[in-house]
Amino acid sequence: MTAPLVGLIMGSQSDWPCLRAAADMLEALGVPYESKIVSAHRTPDRAIAYAKTAAGRGLKVIIAAAGGRRIWPA
C-alpha cells in the first residue's frame, strides 16, 4: 500500500459529503489519501498533532472541511 500524499480532514462525520468529491477525484487520479475526523473544537490536541506530523508522514496537501454544508450542486 502506498503512503497517503493527501490528508482529508473533517470536524465530524457529517462533513464527509463536503469532502466526498475530493476523495472521488483523488481515487480517479490514483492519488493516495487518508481521511480523518480531526475537530479543532472538540479535539484540539489531535488537530495540532495531525498538523505537526503531516509532513513527516509524507503528506503534501491537507484538504479540510467543517460545518457540514455543501456549497455546490449535488
Side-chain angles (χ1 to χ4, degrees):
M1 182 173 186
T2 305
L5 297 175
V6 178
L8 301 178
I9 61 171
M10 62 203 96
S12 68
Q13 183 62 40
S14 66
D15 298 319
W16 180 243
C18 292
L19 291 173
R20 177 56 127 184
D24 290 345
M25 182 57 68
L26 291 168
E27 288 177 15
L29 295 171
V31 177
Y33 70 92
E34 65 183 21
S35 61
K36 304 254 185 223
I37 296 173
V38 182
S39 172
H41 298 289
R42 289 183 298 279
T43 57
D45 292 338
R46 179 188 285 180
I48 291 166
Y50 186 87
K52 284 183 174 181
T53 63
R57 293 182 297 107
L59 293 183
K60 303 298 183 191
V61 175
I62 296 174
I63 301 172
R69 294 185 182 186
R70 195 169 186 160
I71 58 172
W72 62 87

